[in-house]
Amino acid sequence: MSSPVNPTDASDNPSQDPTATPAETTAAPVKVGPTGSGTLIGAIFLMATSAIGPGFITQTTNFTIQMGAAFSAAILISIIVDIAVQLNVWRVIGVSGLRANTLGNRVLPGLGWALGIMVALGGLVFNIGNIAGGGLGMNAMLGLDAKIGGLITAGIAIIIFLWRAAGKAMDTVVVFLGIVMIALMLYVAFISGPPVGEVLKQTVLPDAFDFFVVTTLIGGTVGGYITYSGAHRMVDTGITGVKNVGRISRSSVLGIITTGIMRYLLFLAILGVVVAGANLADSTNQAADAFQFAAGEVGLRLFGIILWGAAITSVIGAAFTSVSFITPQTTPVKTRNYVTVGFIVFSAIVYWFLGQAPQTILIVAGTVNGLILPIGFTLILWVAWRRRDLMDGYKYPGWLLGIGVVSWLLTIYLGYNALGGIARLWTGG
């Protein structure tokens, strides 16, 4: 096995690209050094804020209205499964120091590129929706025209990737906005006065339970590009290898817990409003109306900040992760940032002409995201089980592989359900 290359040389020597040709994918692994700067806290928040987009807010609000306090049990189960998935994803990618697409090409030539195309297509479509969400957030926050607000959101994301220290800028923005969103949700959850005692009871003994809701939550927090956003950012920081196993594992769990905290706070804020008697079932913008009911005009503005923060961090996460899948790992940072800017610009242009991602395309993208999880996770578990050579001979823990397999079976179920979206389109249902 060849020794790791010097990190300072990795991005400047094309001959070291492990994904350059099919022949090289079967050769002895060549480690690639970090391609950017940053810390694990940035990777943690990138994973968390990538999961918390406009769709996350709408989904959580809708399920809270439907299920009430019993929704708490579904959130807890989804968090447990998400931790099992991300522990394995971060462990394999972190110890190997290789992104998922590079690992795919090492295991089966071309698999990494196929996975990359799926991730990029899904990320592109959802990025259009994220930009639209940014526009709606600016409208609620400042009263700005939503279409203009969407373009401003995309423009700010572009500036971040054009910044000389783009990696540090990205980390700073997602951490700052993540903390702001948590603080604002905590405030609204406090003033809405949710029945905390009932929530605790329903968490372990729910009056109602819907497995579909659980699988939907899992797909929304570790589906598509979201599965790999934090792990790929971690590779960029250079915090990889067997010596960093402890830090890698803790960070993956913290990322999911951060996402879970945001989900619970949003759930508690909406639940308090529902219990207080607000009729949100017929509302066209349930989350915004809930925040306004709880805190008046200030609540509406706070919702705008949260929605915009969720949207722009998801734009950043979707763009970064999608491009990391379609560029070789040794691509120079500046080049990759330019490609990322192009990705956002294209998304913004489509948004400008369409106003939003068409429903049909969103269904197809959702299907692609649902398929990425079982395909990509199969790759992760195969490397953990059979390809110690890609992880410097690291002996993978049996217990971790075991919970990974159980979670993998659930991802197959998710993928099967995702195919239903295409079936409905085909039948016109």
Side-chain angles (χ1 to χ4, degrees):
M1 182 181 303
S2 56
S3 59
V5 298
N6 187 324
T8 59
D9 298 331
S11 62
D12 298 321
N13 190 348
S15 66
Q16 292 176 338
D17 180 359
T19 57
T21 66
E24 288 178 82
T25 63
T26 58
V30 177
K31 285 302 183 71
V32 182
T35 57
S37 59
T39 62
L40 273 180
I41 190 68
I44 290 169
F45 272 87
L46 183 64
M47 179 178 78
T49 54
S50 291
I52 303 163
F56 173 100
I57 294 174
T58 302
Q59 184 189 79
T60 302
T61 303
N62 185 259
F63 286 148
T64 302
I65 294 170
Q66 286 181 30
M67 301 182 66
F71 183 44
S72 178
I75 296 176
L76 178 61
I77 293 172
S78 70
I79 289 173
I80 292 171
V81 175
D82 291 346
I83 288 175
V85 172
Q86 288 291 3
L87 267 174
N88 280 280
V89 170
W90 280 54
R91 179 75 64 99
V92 170
I93 290 178
V95 172
S96 69
L98 303 172
R99 297 181 192 149
N101 51 321
T102 305
L103 282 171
N105 285 332
R106 294 284 179 81
V107 171
L108 181 65
L111 175 60
W113 295 123
L115 189 62
I117 291 171
M118 293 174 68
V119 169
L121 287 177
L124 177 65
V125 175
F126 281 108
N127 225 25
I128 299 169
N130 291 332
I131 292 173
L136 293 174
M138 281 204 159
N139 176 260
M141 179 171 48
L142 303 171
L144 193 66
D145 178 81
K147 206 162 188 179
I148 299 298
L151 291 185
I152 292 175
T153 301
I156 293 174
I158 288 170
I159 290 172
I160 290 171
F161 284 102
L162 287 178
W163 205 271
R164 185 169 184 177
K168 290 182 179 179
M170 178 172 65
D171 288 345
T172 301
V173 168
V174 297
V175 171
F176 173 75
L177 289 177
I179 292 173
V180 168
M181 286 189 282
I182 290 175
L184 294 182
M185 287 185 203
L186 179 62
Y187 169 73
V188 177
F190 177 77
I191 63 173
S192 71
V196 177
E198 181 65 16
V199 168
L200 292 174
K201 173 190 170 185
Q202 296 279 348
T203 300
V204 292
L205 294 171
D207 290 338
F209 184 77
D210 191 333
F211 189 70
F212 171 75
V213 170
V214 175
T215 58
T216 301
L217 294 183
I218 294 169
T221 48
V222 291
Y225 70 87
I226 299 168
T227 314
Y228 308 98
S229 56
H232 280 201
R233 179 62 188 140
M234 174 183 61
V235 170
D236 276 6
T237 69
I239 303 174
T240 58
V242 177
K243 65 182 180 297
N244 286 308
V245 163
R247 296 177 68 187
I248 292 167
S249 298
R250 287 191 297 273
S251 299
S252 63
V253 173
L254 283 173
I256 288 296
I257 290 177
T258 302
T259 307
I261 288 172
M262 291 187 175
R263 174 93 68 180
Y264 263 114
L265 289 176
L266 180 59
F267 155 68
L268 290 173
I270 303 299
L271 182 63
V273 169
V274 171
V275 171
N279 181 16
L280 301 176
D282 299 325
S283 171
T284 57
N285 195 342
Q286 295 173 328
D289 288 348
F291 274 67
Q292 190 168 21
F293 183 92
E297 188 68 19
V298 172
L300 180 62
R301 302 305 175 195
L302 294 181
F303 169 75
I305 296 172
I306 292 171
L307 180 60
W308 183 78
I312 191 169
T313 52
S314 292
V315 169
I316 292 169
F320 166 81
T321 312
S322 297
V323 170
S324 76
F325 264 93
I326 57 175
T327 54
Q329 191 160 330
T330 50
T331 302
V333 175
K334 184 179 290 188
T335 301
R336 181 150 54 88
N337 287 343
Y338 286 150
V339 176
T340 307
V341 167
F343 186 91
I344 299 173
V345 167
F346 184 76
S347 302
I349 291 173
V350 175
Y351 163 73
W352 176 257
F353 286 104
L354 298 182
Q356 61 181 354
Q359 190 63 32
T360 299
I361 297 179
L362 281 172
I363 292 174
V364 173
T367 301
V368 171
N369 271 6
L371 293 174
I372 290 170
L373 184 53
I375 293 173
F377 201 41
T378 300
L379 166 67
I380 293 295
L381 293 179
W382 178 259
V383 172
W385 182 38
R386 303 291 296 174
R387 295 301 303 269
R388 289 175 61 177
D389 59 306
L390 296 177
M391 297 194 294
D392 285 341
Y394 175 68
K395 185 177 180 181
Y396 207 77
W399 66 268
L400 185 54
L401 186 59
I403 64 172
V405 170
V406 173
S407 303
W408 171 72
L409 293 173
L410 183 56
T411 68
I412 293 176
Y413 176 81
L414 286 169
Y416 175 78
N417 277 349
L419 288 174
I422 291 292
R424 286 190 293 273
L425 286 177
W426 186 262
T427 59

